[in-house]
Amino acid sequence: MTDPLPNRISRWLAWVAGAVILFGCAVPITIDVLMRYFFNRSAVDSFEISGYGLAACIGLGLAYTVTTKAHIRVDFLVAKLPFPLRAACDLAAACALAVVAVALAWFAWGTLSHSYAMGARSMSTLQIPIVIPQGLWWIGLFWFACMAVLAPVQAVLRLLRGDRAGFEAAIGSADLDAEITEAVHAAGERP
């Protein structure tokens, strides 16, 4: 079974987030450290660039945590409940995450549009238009909100069809055996 398109997009954005960390943070910091060591001066403003890279990376990677259920859940009590109560708790948690994700995307859009309207630039020597890093950050938060809203909707539709396993796969917490099986399967897909 192939991954649905939203999951593939989330995985692609997570890869972009990894590239941002590698090339947007690690490379400028390395250049900056080497320049300071050998020439006693800085070539790039690595602190500013890495801050933007980190914000973009977090935004771009959040949706992947929703699609893979990689976010941290403390559900030792919920896991012991009968399915109807557990499903209600899982659905409440997924809806709460969706509300938070939508709020983050909404307020990030306000910040981005305000920066655009002001023509805001960084205060460093680089004078980077702030809408560039904020735009990457917002794209990630927007997609996170989309995936966070989609997850409980899909779960409810699966539950209405009587697909209890599909509901658990969408928003239920994975048990240890399922996580081990998924990790083994993911390791087998690598070249």
Side-chain angles (χ1 to χ4, degrees), residues 99-138:
V99 168
V100 169
V102 168
L104 282 171
W106 175 263
F107 288 110
W109 175 256
T111 302
L112 175 65
S113 62
H114 186 69
S115 295
Y116 177 77
M118 288 179 22
R121 293 186 168 273
S122 67
M123 293 176 58
S124 71
T125 56
L126 296 175
Q127 291 288 300
I128 295 172
I130 296 297
V131 295
I132 294 171
Q134 284 179 349
L136 288 172
W137 175 61
W138 179 79

Side-chain angles (χ1 to χ4, degrees), residues 73 88-98:
R73 290 178 57 154
C89 289
D90 288 340
L91 192 57
C95 288
L97 180 65

Side-chain angles (χ1 to χ4, degrees), residues 36 38 76 126 138:
R36 286 173 192 238
F38 290 113
F76 60 92
L126 296 175
W138 179 79

Side-chain angles (χ1 to χ4, degrees), residues 68-69 174-190:
T68 60
K69 296 191 296 184
D175 61 352
L176 184 59
D177 292 334
E179 288 186 27
I180 291 171
T181 302
E182 184 177 325
V184 168
H185 176 70
E189 289 180 352
R190 294 188 189 128

